[in-house]
């Protein structure tokens, strides 16, 4: 039996008091974002599991094949996600949603947004 302690991780809006990374330019280059990765580890299966808190400024981002399976909980703000077929969903504080790997569409964020997340990245 493995005796290594593997703790449960609480994902609180303030990041459990840990320090967020610095604000940086988002991939689109038109907004700012920062992360607090509370769990980031490879698993026995191919891929990587990551969990933490993310926040970012207003943005519009075209997504052409999302690179992970990600479960998100909106802590502050909101976003509007439109899929490739034109179906639109609005997510705001308290909403929980899942974005599957390969998703194509547009993420619109009218202002500041903060979310907790759990993602599985296939390496």
């Amino acid at each position: 039996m493995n005796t290594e302690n593997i703790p449960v991780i609480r994902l609180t809006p303030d990041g459990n008091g840990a320090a967020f990374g610095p604000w940086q330019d988002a991939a689109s280059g038109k907004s700012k974002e920062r992360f607090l990765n509370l769990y980031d580890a490879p698993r026995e299966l191919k891929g990587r599991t990551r969990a933490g808190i993310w926040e970012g400024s207003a943005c519009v981002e075209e997504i052409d094949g999302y690179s992970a399976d990600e479960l998100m909980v909106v802590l502050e703000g909101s976003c509007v996600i439109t899929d490739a077929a034109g179906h639109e969903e609005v997510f705001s504080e308290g909403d929980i949603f899942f974005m599957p790997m390969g998703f194509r569409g547009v993420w619109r964020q009218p202002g500041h947004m903060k979310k907790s997340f759990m993602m599985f990245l296939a390496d």
Side-chain angles (χ1 to χ4, degrees), residues 65-87:
Y66 200 59
S67 63
D69 283 328
E70 183 173 359
L71 179 71
M72 302 174 228
V73 179
V74 180
L75 302 171
E76 299 173 6
S78 65
C79 65
V80 179
I81 299 175
T82 307
D83 65 25
H87 178 78

Side-chain angles (χ1 to χ4, degrees), residues 43-92:
R43 303 303 290 176
E44 289 76 21
L45 301 173
K46 186 176 181 180
R48 177 175 286 292
T49 302
R50 184 176 292 156
I53 311 293
W54 171 93
E55 67 181 319
S57 62
C59 69
V60 175
E61 181 180 348
E62 290 191 34
I63 300 169
D64 186 23
Y66 200 59
S67 63
D69 283 328
E70 183 173 359
L71 179 71
M72 302 174 228
V73 179
V74 180
L75 302 171
E76 299 173 6
S78 65
C79 65
V80 179
I81 299 175
T82 307
D83 65 25
H87 178 78
E88 183 175 283
E89 291 282 348
V90 177
F91 299 101
S92 56

Side-chain angles (χ1 to χ4, degrees), residues 11-34:
L11 301 176
T12 62
D14 71 351
N16 307 342
F20 276 80
W23 285 99
Q24 58 191 17
D25 290 335
S28 66
K30 298 177 183 174
S31 62
K32 297 285 187 187
E33 65 182 1
R34 66 182 185 165

